[in-house]
Amino acid sequence: MRVILAMFLGALGIAAEVSVAEVWSRATVPGQEAGAIFARITGGDVDDRLLGAASEAAATVELHEHAMGQDGVGQMREIAGGLAIPAGGRVDLKPRSYHIMLIGLRAPLAKGATVPVTLRFERAGAQRIEALVLDPWAMAFDDR
Ligand SMILES: [Cu+2]
């Protein structure tokens, strides 16, 4: 079915682009000034790359990855050069892995609210998405 659809779209000259689903974040607790956004990204017909993100919800927005430090403590750092999204592949932004970091939240994130974010892809361009705010301890989109 997937192949047939690809052929059909190909015949129309329409390329399947990157798609983003299950976009979520966590409600903040008092005093918390940073948040993270998670999502499932599915590659399109061609290799692409997530270069960055922007949101009016925070002063600074960065693409982060999680790494284990030499002391065994998890650390976050900015992804240099963006995140590869292979054609037909799937990349999950999830806790303790890749995420979009919101630094300097302009307002607390309340459960049930949505956070607008614009993702910038190398080939697919800008994609506006909305993250659903879940519980502060949520570990996946289904934790509701
Ligand atoms: Cu981070």
Side-chain angles (χ1 to χ4, degrees), residues 27-50:
T28 51
V29 297
Q32 187 180 339
E33 293 178 353
I37 289 175
F38 310 103
R40 168 167 297 176
I41 304 176
T42 305
D45 287 341
V46 293
D47 289 345
D48 207 335
R49 184 169 285 274
L50 177 59

Side-chain angles (χ1 to χ4, degrees), residues 23-88:
V23 189
W24 62 282
S25 186
R26 289 170 171 156
T28 51
V29 297
Q32 187 180 339
E33 293 178 353
I37 289 175
F38 310 103
R40 168 167 297 176
I41 304 176
T42 305
D45 287 341
V46 293
D47 289 345
D48 207 335
R49 184 169 285 274
L50 177 59
L51 297 176
S55 175
E56 45 276 38
T60 305
V61 182
E62 295 179 349
L63 280 181
H64 277 189
E65 62 185 341
H66 217 268
M68 206 52 82
Q70 290 191 334
D71 52 4
V73 176
Q75 297 174 334
M76 300 185 297
R77 62 183 174 212
E78 198 163 8
I79 302 174
L83 181 58
I85 312 293

